[in-house]
Amino acid sequence: MKKIDFKKIYIQNFLSIGNEPLDVEFQNGVNVINGINRDEEDIGNAVGKSSIIDAFYYVLFGTTLRDLSKTSFIVNRKNGKNCIVRLEFDITDSTGNRHTYLLERKIAPQSLKIWKDNNEITKSTTAETNKFVEELLSADKDIFQNCIVMRANNNVPFMAKKKTEKKNFIEAIFNLNIFSLMTKYLKDDIKDVKGRYSLETNSLNLHQNNLIGYNKQLDDLVELQKDLNENLQRDIDELNNKIAIEESNKQKVQTVLISEREKLPSSGDEIRNQLKSCNEMLSKLNQMRNKISVDAGILRKDLERLNSSSGICPTCGQEYPENYKCEVHNKKNEISEKLETYGSQLKLISEKYDETDKEKETLNEQLSSISKVALSIQMLENKIKECERFILLYKEQIIQKQQKPEVSGIDNFKKLIEETQIKLEKVQSEVSFLEKELGKMNICEHILGEYGVRAYVVNQLLDLFNSRIQHYLQSIKSTFYFRFNEYFEEEIKDSNGIICLYANCSGAEMKKIDLAISFAINDMLNLQKQISYNVIFFDEILDSSVDDKSLNIILNFISEYTQKENKSVYIISHKSGAQIPFINEVITLEKVNGFTKRIIN
């Protein structure tokens, strides 16, 4: 776990604090900050007690809890310059390594610097240094306002925030930012794929329209070529009539040739087609067998993973619920049944494969027989060549006629059609791929959405969060029952079990709920973000709406919590130190002539 121990703060010319610096060394236990306003007839208001908290917050984040819009409002208005806030703190990482940091912010002149173990590590810009500080703290402004600095004024209590603000804050505490980040990246990917899909679809439409136009123009040229061919064909027909006369001279040889051809068991082309079908079937069966084997292998790995599960959640270290174990058991049975089905399918495929392979051998034998008969036919055809010497002249003339002129452009359009078809198939493939990718991304978007795995994780952590809230409510003797549901809506019941609203609770009960939530958030920080802070500020939150008995209970609890968790708690109050028990140190401030300083006893 990462521990951050704030050690000391130095404040000068900040708000009502003037040239005389104000130092506070953070002490473990319950500490009180009070004060006297000598400028207002010894009253306790407007002394500058809250300036310590403002300075603490300002040096970390560069803004004040009062959200002062200009730096000129932060610098002491009488001196108007040399505003300095320094904060010293130690950070111990999860491996036990400890380093000391010093953070300094100045106004008039303005600067931001940070040192680590006395070596300056300030970044090149203020923005980068601010970001580095937040990374060191492992927290942002919201976490500090709701966990470290609790004020009665100038900030909105957690329960008074909007539902969306509460939801976002709790999810940040639960360390679920990864889901938002994944969703953002996924949306960026979806946007990119949709853009590519739109471009590819437009390209597809363009190629389809081009293909239609090219085919139309090719048809026109082919029709023109047809007319030319018909004229040539009439001349060729006359030559063929002459050849027919000469063909009668080879009738005897042809009779023998026909006899030989009749010996062929079947057409060679038919057998080749059958052989081709066998090869295709064998390839298909082999692909099926490989796919089933791969799927079965994946299922076996899934089964091994399920069998090796210890039943303990690696995240929270708790035993999985019984319904989850039942789901795992059912899943293992389902996988086993699928593996048996795959085994049966593989057996049937193997039998079909052997049967087809035997058929292939038979066809090859038939093809070999045809080749032998074809050789005999070739010998007869050689004899026919003697007769063909007489018709050679006519055939040469036919060949000359067949050298018909081609209509210009047909080959070009055929080439264009072929190229466009290739482009079209490529684009169609890309469109199909992008459609599948969008489908997968939509599934992922659902999984990462409000009702997917994110909801499951939130519900598990909410149970723990709610139990810690209820624990702290009981610790400060609140009779109310409080929990957040899965929609981050609060559910509150009084001691009679009657549902009520936070806004309808008394001021004391509101403060108890706010305190319980704040301490529960600290617990979740420790558990989920593995981060703890040693300082907590309570600024006038116990000065009103809380009766003496409730105040005593709360202060007793804070004291016990402080000792148990080794915290430094600072309570800013108008009440005197004698009215608040269990005090480790009292810091008394005095305001004279508009300047706040610390009274050293």
Coordinates of all heavy atoms in Angstrom, one line a residue, residues 56-139:
F56 N -3.3 24.3 2.7 CA -3.0 22.9 2.5 C -3.5 22.5 1.1 O -2.8 21.8 0.4 CB -3.6 22.1 3.7 CG -3.4 20.6 3.5 CD1 -2.3 20.0 4.0 CD2 -4.4 19.8 3.0 CE1 -2.1 18.6 3.8 CE2 -4.3 18.5 2.9 CZ -3.1 17.9 3.3
Y57 N -4.8 22.8 0.9 CA -5.4 22.4 -0.4 C -4.8 23.2 -1.6 O -4.5 22.6 -2.6 CB -6.9 22.7 -0.3 CG -7.7 22.2 -1.5 CD1 -8.2 20.9 -1.5 CD2 -8.1 23.1 -2.5 CE1 -9.0 20.4 -2.5 CE2 -8.9 22.6 -3.6 CZ -9.3 21.3 -3.6 OH -10.1 20.8 -4.6
Y58 N -4.5 24.5 -1.4 CA -3.9 25.3 -2.4 C -2.5 24.8 -2.9 O -2.2 24.7 -4.1 CB -3.8 26.7 -2.0 CG -3.1 27.6 -3.0 CD1 -3.6 28.0 -4.2 CD2 -1.7 28.0 -2.7 CE1 -2.9 28.8 -5.1 CE2 -1.0 28.8 -3.6 CZ -1.6 29.2 -4.8 OH -0.9 29.9 -5.7
V59 N -1.7 24.5 -1.9 CA -0.3 24.1 -2.3 C -0.3 22.7 -3.1 O 0.5 22.5 -3.9 CB 0.6 23.9 -1.0 CG1 0.2 22.7 -0.2 CG2 2.1 23.9 -1.5
L60 N -1.4 21.9 -2.8 CA -1.5 20.6 -3.6 C -2.0 20.8 -4.9 O -1.6 20.2 -5.9 CB -2.3 19.6 -2.7 CG -1.7 19.1 -1.4 CD1 -2.7 18.3 -0.7 CD2 -0.4 18.3 -1.7
F61 N -3.1 21.6 -5.1 CA -3.8 21.7 -6.3 C -3.8 23.0 -7.1 O -4.3 23.1 -8.2 CB -5.3 21.3 -6.1 CG -5.4 19.9 -5.5 CD1 -5.8 19.7 -4.2 CD2 -5.2 18.8 -6.3 CE1 -5.9 18.4 -3.7 CE2 -5.3 17.5 -5.8 CZ -5.7 17.3 -4.5
G62 N -3.3 24.1 -6.4 CA -3.2 25.4 -7.1 C -4.5 26.1 -7.1 O -4.6 27.2 -7.8
T63 N -5.5 25.7 -6.4 CA -6.8 26.4 -6.2 C -7.2 26.3 -4.7 O -6.7 25.5 -4.0 CB -7.9 25.8 -7.1 OG1 -8.1 24.4 -6.7 CG2 -7.6 25.8 -8.5
T64 N -8.1 27.1 -4.4 CA -8.6 27.1 -3.0 C -10.0 26.5 -2.9 O -10.7 26.4 -3.9 CB -8.7 28.5 -2.4 OG1 -9.7 29.3 -3.1 CG2 -7.3 29.2 -2.5
L65 N -10.3 26.0 -1.7 CA -11.6 25.4 -1.4 C -12.7 26.5 -1.6 O -13.9 26.1 -1.9 CB -11.7 24.8 0.0 CG -10.9 23.5 0.1 CD1 -10.7 23.2 1.6 CD2 -11.6 22.4 -0.6
R66 N -12.4 27.7 -1.4 CA -13.3 28.8 -1.6 C -13.5 29.2 -3.1 O -14.3 30.0 -3.4 CB -12.9 30.0 -0.8 CG -12.6 29.7 0.6 CD -12.1 31.0 1.4 NE -11.5 30.6 2.6 CZ -11.2 31.5 3.6 NH1 -11.5 32.8 3.4 NH2 -10.6 31.1 4.7
D67 N -12.7 28.5 -3.9 CA -12.8 28.7 -5.4 C -12.6 30.2 -5.7 O -13.4 30.8 -6.5 CB -14.1 28.2 -5.9 CG -14.0 28.0 -7.4 OD1 -12.9 27.9 -8.0 OD2 -15.1 28.0 -8.1
L68 N -11.5 30.8 -5.1 CA -11.2 32.2 -5.5 C -10.7 32.3 -6.9 O -9.8 31.6 -7.3 CB -10.1 32.7 -4.5 CG -10.5 32.7 -3.0 CD1 -9.4 33.2 -2.2 CD2 -11.8 33.6 -2.8
S69 N -11.4 33.2 -7.7 CA -11.2 33.2 -9.1 C -9.8 33.8 -9.5 O -9.3 33.5 -10.6 CB -12.3 33.9 -9.8 OG -12.4 35.2 -9.3
K70 N -9.2 34.7 -8.7 CA -8.0 35.4 -9.1 C -7.0 35.1 -8.0 O -7.3 35.1 -6.8 CB -8.2 36.9 -9.2 CG -9.2 37.2 -10.4 CD -9.4 38.7 -10.5 CE -10.3 39.1 -11.6 NZ -10.5 40.6 -11.7
T71 N -5.7 35.0 -8.4 CA -4.6 34.8 -7.5 C -4.5 36.1 -6.6 O -4.0 36.0 -5.4 CB -3.3 34.6 -8.2 OG1 -3.0 35.6 -9.1 CG2 -3.4 33.2 -8.9
S72 N -4.9 37.2 -7.1 CA -4.8 38.4 -6.3 C -5.7 38.4 -5.0 O -5.4 39.1 -4.0 CB -5.2 39.7 -7.1 OG -6.5 39.6 -7.6
F73 N -6.7 37.5 -5.1 CA -7.6 37.3 -3.9 C -7.0 36.4 -2.9 O -7.4 36.4 -1.7 CB -8.9 36.8 -4.3 CG -9.7 37.7 -5.2 CD1 -10.7 37.1 -6.1 CD2 -9.5 39.1 -5.2 CE1 -11.4 38.0 -7.0 CE2 -10.3 39.9 -6.0 CZ -11.2 39.3 -6.9
I74 N -5.9 35.7 -3.3 CA -5.3 34.7 -2.4 C -4.1 35.4 -1.6 O -4.0 35.1 -0.4 CB -4.7 33.5 -3.2 CG1 -5.9 32.8 -3.9 CG2 -4.0 32.5 -2.3 CD1 -5.5 31.7 -4.9
V75 N -3.4 36.2 -2.3 CA -2.3 36.9 -1.6 C -2.9 37.9 -0.6 O -3.9 38.5 -0.7 CB -1.5 37.7 -2.7 CG1 -0.3 38.4 -2.0 CG2 -1.0 36.9 -3.8
N76 N -2.2 37.9 0.6 CA -2.6 38.9 1.6 C -2.8 40.3 1.0 O -1.9 40.8 0.4 CB -1.5 38.9 2.7 CG -1.9 39.8 3.9 OD1 -1.7 41.0 3.8 ND2 -2.5 39.2 4.9
R77 N -4.0 40.8 1.2 CA -4.4 42.0 0.5 C -3.6 43.3 1.0 O -3.5 44.2 0.3 CB -5.9 42.3 0.6 CG -6.4 42.5 2.0 CD -7.9 42.8 1.9 NE -8.5 43.0 3.2 CZ -9.1 42.1 3.9 NH1 -9.1 40.8 3.5 NH2 -9.6 42.3 5.1
K78 N -3.1 43.2 2.2 CA -2.3 44.3 2.7 C -0.9 44.4 2.2 O -0.4 45.4 1.8 CB -2.3 44.3 4.3 CG -3.6 44.7 4.9 CD -3.5 44.9 6.4 CE -4.8 45.4 7.0 NZ -4.6 45.7 8.5
N79 N -0.2 43.2 2.2 CA 1.1 43.1 1.7 C 1.2 43.0 0.2 O 2.1 43.5 -0.5 CB 1.9 42.0 2.3 CG 2.0 42.2 3.8 OD1 2.2 43.3 4.3 ND2 2.0 41.1 4.6
G80 N 0.3 42.2 -0.4 CA 0.1 42.1 -1.9 C 1.2 41.4 -2.6 O 1.3 41.5 -3.8
K81 N 2.2 40.7 -1.9 CA 3.2 40.0 -2.6 C 3.8 39.0 -1.6 O 3.5 38.9 -0.5 CB 4.3 41.0 -3.1 CG 5.0 41.8 -1.9 CD 6.0 42.7 -2.5 CE 6.7 43.5 -1.4 NZ 7.8 44.4 -1.9
N82 N 4.8 38.2 -2.2 CA 5.5 37.2 -1.5 C 4.6 36.2 -0.8 O 4.8 35.9 0.4 CB 6.5 37.9 -0.5 CG 7.5 38.7 -1.2 OD1 8.0 38.4 -2.3 ND2 8.0 39.8 -0.5
C83 N 3.6 35.7 -1.5 CA 2.7 34.7 -0.9 C 3.5 33.3 -1.1 O 3.8 33.0 -2.3 CB 1.4 34.6 -1.7 SG 0.3 33.2 -1.2
I84 N 3.7 32.6 0.0 CA 4.4 31.3 -0.1 C 3.7 30.3 0.7 O 3.3 30.6 1.9 CB 5.9 31.5 0.5 CG1 6.6 32.6 -0.3 CG2 6.6 30.2 0.4 CD1 8.0 32.9 0.4
V85 N 3.5 29.1 0.2 CA 3.0 27.9 0.9 C 3.9 26.8 0.6 O 4.1 26.4 -0.6 CB 1.6 27.6 0.5 CG1 1.1 26.4 1.4 CG2 0.7 28.8 0.7
R86 N 4.5 26.2 1.6 CA 5.3 25.0 1.5 C 4.7 23.8 2.3 O 4.3 24.0 3.4 CB 6.8 25.2 1.9 CG 7.5 26.3 1.2 CD 9.0 26.3 1.6 NE 9.7 27.5 1.1 CZ 10.0 28.6 1.8 NH1 9.6 28.6 3.1 NH2 10.6 29.6 1.2
L87 N 4.8 22.7 1.7 CA 4.2 21.5 2.3 C 5.3 20.4 2.2 O 5.7 20.0 1.1 CB 2.9 21.0 1.7 CG 2.3 19.8 2.3 CD1 1.8 20.0 3.7 CD2 1.1 19.3 1.4
E88 N 5.6 19.8 3.4 CA 6.6 18.7 3.4 C 5.8 17.4 3.7 O 5.0 17.4 4.6 CB 7.6 18.9 4.5 CG 8.7 17.9 4.5 CD 9.8 18.2 5.6 OE1 9.9 19.3 6.0 OE2 10.5 17.2 6.0
F89 N 6.1 16.4 2.9 CA 5.4 15.1 3.1 C 6.3 13.9 2.7 O 7.2 14.1 1.9 CB 4.1 15.0 2.4 CG 4.2 15.3 0.9 CD1 4.3 14.2 0.0 CD2 4.2 16.6 0.4 CE1 4.3 14.5 -1.4 CE2 4.2 16.8 -0.9 CZ 4.3 15.8 -1.8
D90 N 6.1 12.8 3.3 CA 6.8 11.5 3.0 C 5.9 10.6 2.3 O 4.6 10.5 2.6 CB 7.3 10.8 4.3 CG 8.4 11.6 4.9 OD1 9.0 12.4 4.3 OD2 8.7 11.3 6.1
I91 N 6.4 9.9 1.3 CA 5.6 8.8 0.6 C 6.4 7.5 0.7 O 7.6 7.4 0.4 CB 5.5 9.2 -0.9 CG1 4.6 10.5 -1.1 CG2 4.8 8.0 -1.7 CD1 4.4 10.9 -2.5
T92 N 5.7 6.5 1.2 CA 6.2 5.2 1.3 C 5.5 4.3 0.4 O 4.2 4.2 0.4 CB 6.0 4.6 2.8 OG1 6.6 5.5 3.7 CG2 6.7 3.3 2.9
D93 N 6.2 3.7 -0.6 CA 5.5 2.8 -1.6 C 5.3 1.4 -1.0 O 5.6 1.1 0.1 CB 6.3 2.8 -2.9 CG 7.7 2.2 -2.7 OD1 7.9 1.4 -1.8 OD2 8.6 2.5 -3.5
S94 N 4.7 0.6 -1.9 CA 4.2 -0.7 -1.5 C 5.4 -1.6 -1.1 O 5.3 -2.6 -0.4 CB 3.4 -1.4 -2.6 OG 4.2 -1.4 -3.8
T95 N 6.6 -1.3 -1.6 CA 7.8 -2.1 -1.3 C 8.5 -1.6 0.0 O 9.5 -2.2 0.4 CB 8.8 -2.1 -2.5 OG1 9.2 -0.7 -2.7 CG2 8.1 -2.6 -3.7
G96 N 8.0 -0.5 0.6 CA 8.6 0.0 1.8 C 9.6 1.1 1.6 O 10.2 1.6 2.5
N97 N 9.9 1.5 0.3 CA 10.8 2.6 0.0 C 10.1 3.9 0.4 O 9.0 4.2 0.1 CB 11.1 2.6 -1.5 CG 12.0 1.4 -1.8 OD1 12.8 1.0 -1.1 ND2 11.7 0.9 -3.0
R98 N 10.9 4.8 1.1 CA 10.3 6.0 1.7 C 11.1 7.2 1.1 O 12.4 7.2 1.1 CB 10.4 6.0 3.2 CG 9.7 7.2 3.9 CD 9.8 7.1 5.4 NE 9.1 8.1 6.1 CZ 7.9 8.0 6.5 NH1 7.2 6.9 6.3 NH2 7.3 9.0 7.2
H99 N 10.4 8.2 0.6 CA 11.1 9.4 0.1 C 10.4 10.7 0.7 O 9.2 10.7 0.9 CB 11.0 9.5 -1.4 CG 11.7 8.3 -2.1 ND1 13.1 8.3 -2.2 CD2 11.2 7.2 -2.6 CE1 13.4 7.1 -2.8 NE2 12.3 6.5 -3.1
T100 N 11.2 11.7 0.9 CA 10.6 13.0 1.4 C 10.5 14.0 0.3 O 11.4 14.2 -0.5 CB 11.6 13.5 2.5 OG1 11.6 12.6 3.6 CG2 11.1 14.9 3.0
Y101 N 9.3 14.6 0.2 CA 9.0 15.6 -0.8 C 8.8 17.0 -0.2 O 8.2 17.0 1.0 CB 7.8 15.2 -1.6 CG 8.0 14.0 -2.5 CD1 7.8 12.7 -1.9 CD2 8.4 14.1 -3.8 CE1 8.0 11.5 -2.7 CE2 8.6 12.9 -4.6 CZ 8.4 11.7 -4.0 OH 8.6 10.6 -4.8
L102 N 9.1 18.0 -0.9 CA 8.8 19.4 -0.5 C 8.2 20.1 -1.7 O 8.8 20.2 -2.8 CB 10.1 20.1 0.0 CG 9.8 21.6 0.4 CD1 9.0 21.7 1.6 CD2 11.2 22.3 0.6
L103 N 6.9 20.5 -1.5 CA 6.2 21.2 -2.5 C 6.0 22.7 -2.1 O 5.6 23.0 -1.0 CB 4.8 20.5 -2.7 CG 3.9 21.1 -3.8 CD1 4.5 20.9 -5.1 CD2 2.5 20.4 -3.7
E104 N 6.3 23.6 -3.1 CA 6.2 25.0 -2.8 C 5.5 25.7 -3.9 O 5.8 25.6 -5.1 CB 7.6 25.6 -2.7 CG 7.7 27.1 -2.5 CD 9.1 27.7 -2.5 OE1 9.6 27.9 -3.7 OE2 9.7 27.9 -1.5
R105 N 4.5 26.5 -3.5 CA 3.8 27.4 -4.5 C 4.0 28.9 -4.0 O 3.8 29.1 -2.8 CB 2.3 27.1 -4.6 CG 2.0 25.8 -5.3 CD 0.5 25.7 -5.5 NE 0.1 24.3 -6.0 CZ 0.0 24.0 -7.3 NH1 0.2 24.9 -8.2 NH2 -0.3 22.7 -7.6
K106 N 4.2 29.7 -5.0 CA 4.4 31.2 -4.7 C 3.5 32.0 -5.6 O 3.2 31.6 -6.7 CB 5.8 31.6 -4.9 CG 6.8 31.0 -3.9 CD 8.2 31.6 -4.2 CE 9.2 31.1 -3.2 NZ 10.6 31.7 -3.4
I107 N 3.1 33.1 -5.1 CA 2.3 34.1 -5.9 C 3.0 35.5 -5.7 O 3.3 35.8 -4.5 CB 0.8 34.2 -5.5 CG1 0.2 32.8 -5.6 CG2 0.1 35.2 -6.4 CD1 -1.3 32.8 -5.1
A108 N 3.2 36.2 -6.8 CA 3.8 37.5 -6.7 C 5.1 37.5 -6.1 O 5.3 38.1 -5.0 CB 2.8 38.5 -6.0
P109 N 6.2 37.0 -6.7 CA 6.1 36.4 -8.0 C 5.6 34.9 -7.9 O 5.6 34.3 -6.9 CB 7.6 36.3 -8.4 CG 8.3 36.2 -7.1 CD 7.5 37.1 -6.1
Q110 N 5.1 34.5 -9.1 CA 4.4 33.2 -9.1 C 5.4 32.1 -9.5 O 6.2 32.2 -10.5 CB 3.3 33.2 -10.1 CG 2.4 32.0 -10.0 CD 0.9 32.3 -10.4 OE1 0.5 33.4 -10.5 NE2 0.2 31.3 -10.8
S111 N 5.3 30.9 -8.8 CA 6.2 29.8 -9.2 C 5.6 28.5 -8.5 O 4.8 28.6 -7.6 CB 7.6 30.0 -8.7 OG 7.7 30.0 -7.3
L112 N 6.0 27.4 -9.1 CA 5.7 26.1 -8.5 C 6.9 25.2 -8.6 O 7.4 25.0 -9.7 CB 4.5 25.5 -9.3 CG 4.2 24.0 -8.9 CD1 3.8 23.8 -7.5 CD2 3.1 23.5 -9.8
K113 N 7.3 24.7 -7.4 CA 8.5 23.8 -7.4 C 8.3 22.6 -6.5 O 7.5 22.7 -5.6 CB 9.8 24.6 -6.9 CG 10.2 25.7 -7.9 CD 11.4 26.4 -7.3 CE 11.9 27.6 -8.2 NZ 13.1 28.2 -7.7
I114 N 9.0 21.6 -6.8 CA 8.9 20.4 -6.0 C 10.3 19.7 -5.9 O 11.1 19.7 -6.9 CB 7.9 19.4 -6.6 CG1 7.8 18.2 -5.6 CG2 8.3 18.9 -8.0 CD1 6.6 17.3 -5.9
W115 N 10.6 19.2 -4.7 CA 11.9 18.5 -4.4 C 11.6 17.1 -3.9 O 10.6 16.9 -3.2 CB 12.7 19.3 -3.4 CG 13.2 20.6 -3.8 CD1 14.5 20.9 -4.3 CD2 12.5 21.9 -3.7 NE1 14.6 22.3 -4.5 CE2 13.4 22.9 -4.2 CE3 11.2 22.3 -3.3 CZ2 13.0 24.2 -4.3 CZ3 10.9 23.6 -3.4 CH2 11.7 24.6 -3.9
K116 N 12.5 16.2 -4.2 CA 12.5 14.9 -3.7 C 13.8 14.6 -3.1 O 14.9 14.6 -3.8 CB 12.2 13.9 -4.9 CG 12.2 12.4 -4.4 CD 12.0 11.5 -5.6 CE 12.0 10.0 -5.2 NZ 11.8 9.1 -6.4
D117 N 13.8 14.3 -1.8 CA 15.0 14.0 -1.0 C 16.1 15.1 -1.3 O 17.2 14.8 -1.6 CB 15.6 12.6 -1.4 CG 14.6 11.5 -1.1 OD1 13.9 11.7 -0.1 OD2 14.6 10.5 -1.8
N118 N 15.6 16.4 -1.2 CA 16.4 17.6 -1.4 C 16.9 17.8 -2.8 O 17.7 18.7 -3.1 CB 17.6 17.5 -0.4 CG 17.2 17.6 1.0 OD1 16.3 18.3 1.4 ND2 17.9 16.7 1.8
N119 N 16.5 17.0 -3.8 CA 16.8 17.3 -5.2 C 15.6 17.8 -5.9 O 14.5 17.2 -5.9 CB 17.3 16.0 -5.8 CG 18.6 15.4 -5.2 OD1 19.5 16.2 -5.0 ND2 18.6 14.1 -4.9
E120 N 15.7 18.9 -6.6 CA 14.6 19.5 -7.3 C 14.2 18.6 -8.5 O 15.0 18.2 -9.3 CB 14.9 20.9 -7.8 CG 13.7 21.6 -8.4 CD 13.9 23.1 -8.8 OE1 15.0 23.6 -8.4 OE2 13.0 23.7 -9.4
I121 N 12.9 18.4 -8.6 CA 12.3 17.5 -9.7 C 11.2 18.3 -10.4 O 10.3 17.6 -11.0 CB 11.9 16.2 -9.2 CG1 10.8 16.3 -8.1 CG2 13.0 15.3 -8.7 CD1 10.2 15.0 -7.6
T122 N 11.2 19.6 -10.4 CA 10.2 20.4 -11.0 C 10.1 20.1 -12.5 O 11.2 20.0 -13.2 CB 10.4 21.9 -10.8 OG1 10.6 22.1 -9.4 CG2 9.2 22.7 -11.3
K123 N 8.9 20.0 -13.0 CA 8.8 19.7 -14.5 C 8.9 21.0 -15.3 O 9.0 22.1 -14.7 CB 7.4 19.0 -14.7 CG 7.2 17.8 -13.9 CD 8.2 16.7 -14.2 CE 8.0 15.5 -13.4 NZ 9.1 14.5 -13.6
S124 N 8.9 20.9 -16.6 CA 9.2 22.0 -17.5 C 8.1 23.0 -17.5 O 8.3 24.2 -17.7 CB 9.4 21.5 -18.9 OG 8.3 20.8 -19.4
T125 N 6.8 22.6 -17.2 CA 5.7 23.5 -17.2 C 4.9 23.3 -15.9 O 5.0 22.3 -15.2 CB 4.7 23.3 -18.4 OG1 4.1 22.0 -18.3 CG2 5.5 23.4 -19.7
T126 N 4.1 24.4 -15.5 CA 3.3 24.3 -14.3 C 2.2 23.2 -14.5 O 2.0 22.4 -13.5 CB 2.6 25.6 -14.1 OG1 3.6 26.6 -13.9 CG2 1.7 25.6 -12.9
A127 N 1.6 23.1 -15.7 CA 0.6 22.0 -15.9 C 1.2 20.6 -15.7 O 0.6 19.8 -15.1 CB 0.1 22.2 -17.3
E128 N 2.4 20.4 -16.2 CA 3.1 19.1 -16.0 C 3.4 18.8 -14.6 O 3.2 17.7 -14.1 CB 4.3 19.0 -16.9 CG 4.1 19.0 -18.4 CD 5.3 19.0 -19.2 OE1 6.4 19.1 -18.6 OE2 5.3 18.8 -20.4
T129 N 3.8 19.9 -13.8 CA 4.1 19.7 -12.4 C 2.8 19.4 -11.6 O 2.8 18.5 -10.7 CB 4.8 20.9 -11.9 OG1 6.0 21.2 -12.7 CG2 5.3 20.7 -10.4
N130 N 1.7 20.1 -11.9 CA 0.5 19.9 -11.3 C 0.0 18.4 -11.5 O -0.4 17.7 -10.6 CB -0.6 20.8 -11.8 CG -0.5 22.2 -11.2 OD1 -0.1 22.3 -10.0 ND2 -0.9 23.2 -11.9
K131 N 0.2 18.0 -12.8 CA -0.2 16.6 -13.1 C 0.7 15.6 -12.3 O 0.2 14.6 -11.8 CB -0.1 16.3 -14.6 CG -0.5 14.9 -15.0 CD -0.3 14.8 -16.5 CE -0.7 13.4 -17.0 NZ -0.5 13.2 -18.4
F132 N 2.0 15.9 -12.2 CA 2.9 15.0 -11.5 C 2.5 15.0 -10.0 O 2.6 13.9 -9.4 CB 4.3 15.6 -11.6 CG 5.4 14.8 -10.9 CD1 5.7 13.5 -11.2 CD2 6.0 15.4 -9.7 CE1 6.7 12.8 -10.5 CE2 6.9 14.7 -9.0 CZ 7.3 13.4 -9.4
V133 N 2.1 16.1 -9.4 CA 1.7 16.1 -8.0 C 0.5 15.2 -7.8 O 0.4 14.4 -6.8 CB 1.4 17.5 -7.5 CG1 0.8 17.6 -6.1 CG2 2.7 18.3 -7.5
E134 N -0.5 15.3 -8.7 CA -1.7 14.5 -8.5 C -1.4 13.0 -8.7 O -1.9 12.2 -8.0 CB -2.8 14.9 -9.6 CG -3.4 16.2 -9.3 CD -4.8 16.4 -10.0 OE1 -5.3 15.4 -10.5 OE2 -5.2 17.5 -10.1
E135 N -0.4 12.7 -9.6 CA 0.0 11.3 -9.7 C 0.7 10.8 -8.4 O 0.5 9.7 -8.0 CB 0.9 11.2 -10.9 CG 0.2 11.3 -12.2 CD 1.2 11.4 -13.4 OE1 2.4 11.4 -13.2 OE2 0.7 11.3 -14.6
L136 N 1.5 11.7 -7.8 CA 2.2 11.4 -6.5 C 1.1 11.1 -5.5 O 1.2 10.1 -4.7 CB 3.1 12.5 -6.1 CG 4.5 12.6 -6.7 CD1 5.2 13.8 -6.1 CD2 5.3 11.4 -6.4
L137 N 0.1 12.0 -5.4 CA -1.0 11.8 -4.4 C -1.9 10.6 -4.7 O -2.6 10.2 -3.8 CB -1.8 13.1 -4.3 CG -1.1 14.4 -3.9 CD1 -2.0 15.6 -4.0 CD2 -0.5 14.3 -2.5
S138 N -1.9 10.2 -6.0 CA -2.9 9.1 -6.4 C -4.3 9.5 -6.1 O -5.2 8.7 -5.8 CB -2.6 7.8 -5.7 OG -1.3 7.4 -6.0
A139 N -4.6 10.8 -6.2 CA -5.9 11.3 -5.9 C -6.1 12.7 -6.6 O -5.2 13.4 -6.9 CB -6.2 11.4 -4.4

